[in-house]
Amino acid sequence: MSMKAILFSLFLLGAAPDGNNAPALPPEALAAPPVADDSPTAWACTVDTLRAGKECVFEAALSTGSPNDGQDTANRKLLTDVARALCSEAVGAIRESRPDATLTALCERRYSAAVDQCGLDGTASVIDAKGRFAPGARACYRALSSVLQDVQTMATVVSPCCECAARAGCPGGSGDRCYSDVSQQLAPPATLACLNDRCSDACSMVLPSSSSAPTVRERNKSSSGSASL
């Protein structure tokens, strides 16, 4: 398109409408007070954005008051109930509805610890009537989100490994200790050796790339070799 055509198009777009065809505004329209739409936007921080791990905005408009023990307790109870639902959903969704009672219980305990930041001293509701997190709940929201992300990772790669470890009877391979050690790659040498030997497929994504601990198979081979000399 030539420069002349572009300028002509802009001129047409900026031209004032024909006064004869413009809709007439009633005199009182200009004096009417503005109407605010305070419904939640798509960017509001809610339980849904927490569940999905989305970026969000703390847009709830809540007035704060004096510290109130009753409100503080209500805030914590609300998010404790939310935590139970989110833990079950996170584990079940990733594991295709296959339960993992150990991981679900671990998730709920970690959420309970995170909820300690969510009482807001009872100065305001942690979530408003429209489901939006209060601006003062930023630290609370981040703590809950961090727990959920950790649990989702555990459900994806750690849970299959620890289930195998428990079946194989690996030392330290059952309960919370396995999830904690394996997810942080802090499992002791005896556990790593067992996982490498008996659960290598289930644990391939969480085992250290090079472990100094020999596997059971390597130790047996070494013993056999020594005996033959």
Side-chain angles (χ1 to χ4, degrees), residues 14-214:
D18 185 352
N20 293 329
N21 297 325
L25 291 175
E28 64 273 12
L30 297 177
V35 178
D37 181 5
D38 63 350
S39 58
T41 70
W43 298 277
C45 293
T46 64
V47 172
D48 285 337
T49 60
L50 178 65
R51 177 187 289 112
K54 294 180 178 178
E55 294 293 328
C56 62
V57 177
F58 293 87
E59 63 179 37
L62 289 168
S63 58
T64 58
S66 301
N68 183 293
D69 290 342
Q71 182 64 63
D72 183 284
T73 300
N75 286 343
R76 295 169 190 265
K77 183 181 184 307
L78 171 63
L79 291 180
T80 298
D81 292 342
V82 168
R84 292 194 184 98
L86 290 180
C87 285
S88 297
E89 288 177 10
V91 175
I94 293 174
R95 289 170 52 82
E96 298 177 346
S97 299
R98 289 178 294 116
D100 185 333
T102 301
L103 181 55
T104 301
L106 174 62
C107 175
E108 290 180 3
R109 285 195 296 276
R110 291 194 176 187
Y111 258 125
S112 294
V115 165
D116 285 342
Q117 305 179 46
C118 300
L120 306 185
D121 295 325
T123 56
S125 297
V126 68
I127 296 178
D128 72 3
K130 295 181 173 63
R132 301 171 294 189
F133 275 83
R138 285 181 173 84
C140 162
Y141 187 94
R142 285 194 296 269
L144 297 178
S145 179
S146 178
V147 170
L148 189 59
Q149 290 173 18
D150 288 346
V151 169
Q152 288 171 336
T153 299
M154 289 184 185
T156 303
V157 296
V158 180
S159 185
C161 179
C162 287
E163 287 179 333
C164 178
R167 290 193 302 270
C170 292
S174 61
D176 293 359
R177 180 180 175 186
C178 179
Y179 285 93
S180 178
D181 288 351
V182 171
S183 63
Q184 300 177 66
Q185 294 195 333
L186 296 176
T191 302
L192 288 177
C194 184
L195 297 180
N196 271 301
D197 186 65
R198 303 176 186 176
C199 299
S200 57
D201 290 339
C203 300
S204 60
M205 296 182 67
V206 292
L207 287 173
S209 56
S210 60
S211 173
S212 58

